[in-house]
Amino acid sequence: PMMEYLLMPRSKRGLNTCTMKSLYSITEKDDLREEVLVAGALQLAKTVASEQLAGIQLNEVGNKSNLGELIFTGTGSAVPCKHRNVTGMYLRMSNGNSMLLDVGEGTVGQLLQVWKSTLPKSVSAVDEYHSRLLGIKAVWISHPHADHHLGLLRLLSERSAIGGSNDPIVLMAPPNMFAFLSEYQLTVPEIKGSYVELDCRNLFHGQQSPLCNKLREDLGISCTAVQVTHCPYSYAVIVDGTAFGRLAYSGDCRPSSRFASAGFGADVLIHEATFEDGMKEEAVLKKHSTVGEAIEIACKMDARTLILTHFSQRYPKIPSVNRNENDAKAMSVPIAFAFDFMRVTPSSLPLATKLTPALRLLYPAQEDVVKTEAKNDVTVDSKELMAVPGMFSA
């Protein structure tokens, strides 16, 4: 179920507590349920889960005070589409406070759907929504492309409307993001004072900002930024002290040995995998990574778990994986494919890495013609450009 959001009059802007709507009709719900059953995805998921759930339940019982979770609000690139919203992640810490890793357009709306769907009927959805918004203490913006930050405006506006300006968000972002927000404040002055600026460059190894103390107090974390190759002012981040342990997030980038070194020993690596293997030319030209390249970085980083995200909207929902059979580490690293509304806890993460076969039944691969058309987009001129020494050096 969803709730209605009032735009006008301005005095009543916000969630309408009197109106309840269903996202799907009863017929649509029945059709979706039948589709899952016919595909065989549900039965396979139950079989896989039965081997993992006992251990998960025991761990959850023993860690009731650990509120850690990771929710993916968007796992696609560039623009929203039918199956995937643009990039956004909600990372909740053990103490209940949280941070966002990129805030693509529609992130707040996606979070609202997730939170409301898991609430008991006795709990007010509006109260929970407000509580969760105020619990967001920090935001990380990896680079200034719109599909990674347009949702920030609504987040700041909504949080400010319920008193969030008394506890401003620590906004870790590239410097040009702050110039953009300063101009936006001329139109929407409500967001003024809703955040404090922390330039990503002040989080490089060896740098120290006074705001790092606030991150430790509110979230129990420390953050280290690493410059990566994508567009100007692009950064990856390593977050230490999360409920998952050391978490590394690539943002958008070409594979980075510097990032792999800085995040060595990560418990969770979240890495972009915009292109399928076999499309390296286009990945290089657009300064993104392929699935195989993301796996290579996971191996170099010695990451315990790899979560792939930021998939091109043109390709199959669950990309294929071609591991190097001669590389024992590449064959053994656990891989999970992120999808919108995916929620994992420290205990359920191992299960997420084993459900890929079931997910493939829900999202069958597209016809080979789509792959062929995509590969044909890379012209001979593109390959000639790649051959120019230093053309794509960091």
Side-chain angles (χ1 to χ4, degrees), residues 67-71 90-93 96-100 108 111-120 123-139 155 158-159 162 164 167 169 219 343-345:
L67 300 175
E69 65 178 352
L70 177 63
I71 298 173
Y90 171 86
L91 178 61
R92 197 180 193 191
M93 309 303 168
N97 289 335
S98 59
M99 71 178 295
L100 298 182
V108 173
L111 284 173
L112 175 59
Q113 290 192 47
V114 174
W115 293 335
K116 193 171 188 316
S117 67
T118 58
L119 279 181
V123 178
S124 166
V126 175
D127 290 344
E128 178 71 9
Y129 176 63
H130 289 171
S131 174
R132 292 273 194 144
L133 278 186
L134 292 175
I136 298 173
K137 303 296 184 181
V139 170
L155 171 68
E158 293 276 306
R159 204 170 177 278
I162 58 175
D167 181 22
I169 280 176
L219 300 166
R343 174 186 176 271
V344 293
T345 63

Side-chain angles (χ1 to χ4, degrees), residues 21 34 81 101 138 162 193-194 201 225-226 232 283 304 307 315 353:
K21 291 185 177 181
E34 180 66 20
C81 77
L101 298 169
I162 58 175
S194 61
R201 296 173 297 181
V226 179
R304 295 181 61 184
I307 303 179
Y315 312 130
T353 66

Side-chain angles (χ1 to χ4, degrees), residues 6 19 35 50 66 69 76 79 222 238 241-242 281 295-296 384:
L6 296 176
T19 305
E35 185 177 334
S50 64
N66 187 342
E69 65 178 352
V79 294
S222 62
I238 295 96
T242 77
E281 291 95 343
I295 295 174
E296 289 177 9
E384 290 176 351

